[in-house]
Amino acid sequence: MDTTDVRIQVLETDVAVLNIRTEENRAMTSAMFEVLNDLRTATTDLRTEVTGLRTDMTELRTDMTELRTDMTELRTDMTELRTEVTELREGQEELQASVAELRITTAALRIGQDELREDVASVKRSAGNLESSMKRVEGDVDDLKAGHIELRHLVAGLIK
């Protein structure tokens, strides 16, 4: 074979190798584009997730602010409740003092009632005694009237 044929054969071999390498490069480029597309998709997904996480973080911050506000309101409510409980305890103490005073007053009224009952019994006895005395006095008055009438008859008998 001559040199030209060898050269052509070498060139054909080189072209075949270049064709193989070109196909390999194309396959590699295609694979790289797939990887690049996968990376773009993953990047987009990550961006979406980061955006979602940022939204979630914003919502969490809002929730935290609301919770802090609620906690402040609860603390205020607790303070008000404590004040009301203190006022109720003071009112309860006042009521207990009033109840004690009412018990003392009730005891005094019972004593007064007992004294009134004794007085009423005494008045009833006195009324009974008075009635007896009145009956005696009425008897005496009747006797006096009879005596007076008798005296009149005597005086009238003397005058005639």
Side-chain angles (χ1 to χ4, degrees):
M1 278 209 216
D2 87 49
T3 15
T4 310
D5 285 339
V6 171
R7 277 188 184 167
I8 289 177
Q9 206 174 18
V10 167
L11 281 174
E12 285 177 353
T13 304
D14 285 346
V15 167
V17 167
L18 282 175
N19 282 336
I20 291 171
R21 285 189 182 159
T22 302
E23 281 304 312
E24 288 175 354
N25 282 339
R26 282 185 186 153
M28 181 99 79
T29 302
S30 190
M32 285 171 46
F33 276 123
E34 284 181 27
V35 168
L36 185 60
N37 277 336
D38 290 345
L39 284 173
R40 283 182 181 150
T41 302
T43 302
T44 302
D45 290 347
L46 284 174
R47 283 184 179 145
T48 302
E49 285 206 27
V50 166
T51 302
L53 288 173
R54 284 183 179 149
T55 302
D56 291 346
M57 286 297 294
T58 302
E59 289 173 0
L60 284 173
R61 285 184 180 125
T62 303
D63 290 348
M64 287 295 295
T65 303
E66 289 173 1
L67 284 173
R68 285 183 181 130
T69 302
D70 290 347
M71 287 295 294
T72 302
E73 289 173 2
L74 284 173
R75 284 184 182 125
T76 302
D77 291 348
M78 285 297 294
T79 302
E80 290 173 1
L81 280 174
R82 285 183 182 129
T83 302
E84 289 177 9
V85 165
T86 301
E87 290 173 0
L88 284 173
R89 284 185 181 146
E90 289 171 358
Q92 185 180 13
E93 289 170 3
E94 290 174 9
L95 280 175
Q96 287 172 345
S98 295
V99 167
E101 288 176 19
L102 283 174
R103 285 184 179 146
I104 292 168
T105 303
T106 302
L109 287 173
R110 284 188 182 138
I111 291 169
Q113 187 179 22
D114 291 342
E115 290 173 357
L116 282 175
R117 282 186 184 146
E118 289 173 11
D119 290 347
V120 167
S122 176
V123 166
K124 283 182 180 178
R125 281 192 304 273
S126 294
N129 291 339
L130 185 61
E131 283 179 11
S132 296
S133 295
M134 284 299 290
K135 284 182 185 175
R136 273 189 238 129
V137 167
E138 284 174 357
D140 290 346
V141 167
D142 286 341
D143 289 343
L144 278 173
K145 280 184 183 178
H148 180 68
I149 291 173
E150 197 178 311
L151 256 174
R152 268 191 182 169
H153 288 303
L154 283 174
V155 169
L158 286 173
I159 297 182
K160 283 191 184 185

